[in-house]
Amino acid sequence: MKNICELLGIKYPLIQGGMANIADARLAAAVANAGGLGLISAGGCDAEWVRGEIRRCRELTDKPFGVNIMLMNPHAAEIARVIIEEEVKVVTTGAGNPAPYIPAWKEAGIIVIPVIASVAMAVRMERSGAHAVVAEGTEAGGHIGELTTMALVPQVVDKVSIPVIAAGGVADKRGVLAAFALGAKGVQVGTVLLASEECPIHDNYKNKVIDARDTDTIVTGRAVGMPVRVLKNPMTRIYNKMAAEGATVEELEKLTLGSLRRAVLEGDLERGSFMAGQVSGLIKNIRPVKKIIEELFSGVNEYKNNLEVL
Ligand code: TUI
């Protein structure tokens, strides 16, 4: 079995998290140039925006990069075609089942890596022809499943023979090593890249990640079947109060409509949704992407060799 670096043509076994409405060509190229797999996130955008970012990314890097598709996006089918037309090398998917698109992607020679949150979905993805899966624990930011990374990753590893990449809870070399100890062949990181110089979000968002403590994330949307981990703020307090008092799905959706964009573009601390993982509490400063990635891997073998278990 090829390792992740050979499969993807990268230096470090690291892929960037999708990060809907955040990860653009600039962030993807910064990750690619630093030796990881950078991704442009299609998020809630349309297919022509994705095409433009793919072309822009090619101008910013000669390294491999991919596109992440959030499958609830109404433009997902069109974006799936644009990825083929633009000869993108890798696609990752989130928030749904990409099986209907996989045959055409594979036909075009694209490497397919679905993000999953359960063993059942991992097994389905392997049967559908995925090259690898990202097993994402509930520590992650954004839309999440139920299981922790610690519980999910080894159970997925035991049930599939394709490489498993761990996500959720990785922000430093201890997290990288833990992921590999669980049987993962790579890591996906998102939150730690929010606090990067190249991440195109409002400074209020970066500062909110840096200021966060261990208990400062909360899950909204459970009541409407769309759990999303975000940093606590007035918006999350109102949301959860309304949900507890039996607000309708429509009322709750109205409250959150556009809230991610309000966080990303306007830095609206009151009414924005600041998606971020539980590792926010580990992140203390804004660094260039290259430094973040180098620090995740520098000295990992030494660290591993010094682990004393018995
Ligand atoms: O997709 C993510 N994380 C995301 S997507 C996103 S955009 C968004 N914005 C506003 C509201 C909601 C979402 C922000 N963060 N992570 C990967 C992930 N995929 N986590 C869980 C899943 C998942 C869930 C269900 C994968 C497959 C699945 O299958 C359902 C089915 O069809 O069986």
Side-chain angles (χ1 to χ4, degrees):
M1 188 167 77
K2 270 193 189 176
N3 71 32
I4 290 290
C5 292
E6 287 165 359
L7 179 71
L8 301 172
I10 53 180
K11 179 175 174 194
Y12 296 110
L14 174 139
I15 73 177
Q16 177 211 311
M19 299 198 285
N21 300 338
I22 292 176
D24 62 358
R26 180 166 171 237
L27 183 65
V31 173
N33 287 332
L37 185 79
L39 297 174
I40 294 159
S41 178
C45 301
D46 67 25
E48 289 316 306
W49 181 86
V50 176
R51 194 193 302 281
E53 289 303 295
I54 294 166
R55 293 182 177 175
R56 197 155 77 89
C57 197
R58 287 231 162 84
E59 289 172 10
L60 298 171
T61 185
D62 55 3
K63 302 278 192 314
F65 64 90
V67 170
N68 169 266
I69 306 187
M70 202 276 281
L71 292 165
M72 288 180 336
N73 181 335
H75 309 288
E78 216 181 316
I79 294 165
R81 280 196 299 277
V82 164
I83 286 169
I84 296 172
E85 287 165 15
E86 296 296 322
E87 300 180 14
V88 170
K89 209 173 139 45
V90 187
V91 60
T92 72
T93 64
N97 179 359
Y101 305 117
I102 294 179
W105 285 336
K106 291 191 77 179
E107 181 91 4
I110 297 170
I111 295 167
V112 182
I113 310 182
V115 180
I116 53 84
S118 68
V119 169
M121 198 66 186
V123 169
R124 271 162 78 186
M125 292 301 97
E126 179 173 45
R127 287 201 193 115
S128 299
H131 296 84
V133 287
V134 174
E136 187 179 88
T138 196
E139 298 93 319
H143 175 46
I144 47 170
E146 290 292 335
L147 294 168
T148 60
T149 304
M150 185 90 136
L152 176 66
V153 171
Q155 295 189 72
V156 172
V157 166
D158 283 352
K159 288 291 186 310
V160 298
S161 53
I162 51 179
V164 177
I165 295 159
V170 180
D172 63 21
K173 62 171 132 290
R174 294 169 298 180
V176 171
L177 267 180
F180 278 75
L182 296 173
K185 301 295 184 202
V187 292
Q188 177 193 277
V189 295
T191 304
V192 71
L193 294 170
L194 289 174
S196 68
E197 285 176 2
E198 295 90 337
C199 189
I201 56 177
H202 196 283
D203 280 348
N204 287 355
Y205 199 151
K206 295 184 190 182
N207 289 330
K208 210 166 159 51
V209 172
I210 286 171
D211 292 343
R213 289 166 308 167
D214 55 347
T215 55
D216 281 342
T217 71
I218 192 169
V219 180
T220 61
R222 280 205 203 282
V224 298
M226 177 49 66
V228 173
R229 184 177 301 284
V230 292
L231 292 165
K232 290 176 184 170
N233 69 349
M235 153 91 182
T236 63
R237 281 191 283 278
I238 296 167
Y239 186 100
N240 281 341
K241 184 161 180 282
M242 280 174 65
E245 288 167 357
T248 63
V249 172
E250 288 74 24
E251 284 166 334
L252 291 169
E253 279 179 349
K254 197 166 157 221
L255 185 66
T256 54
L257 199 68
S259 62
L260 177 57
R261 282 182 196 277
R262 276 200 294 277
V264 171
L265 300 175
E266 297 159 31
D268 184 340
L269 294 168
E270 302 283 316
R271 296 175 64 240
S273 273
F274 296 85
M275 296 188 187
Q278 290 183 333
V279 284
S280 295
L282 277 175
I283 298 162
K284 295 287 166 246
N285 44 32
I286 297 168
R287 294 169 289 169
V289 165
K290 190 168 186 295
K291 196 159 170 37
I292 291 172
I293 294 180
E294 281 170 2
E295 283 184 17
L296 277 164
F297 291 94
S298 81
V300 297
N301 282 332
E302 200 184 339
Y303 193 97
K304 178 191 68 182
N305 292 337
N306 288 335
L307 286 177
E308 211 169 304
V309 178
L310 280 178

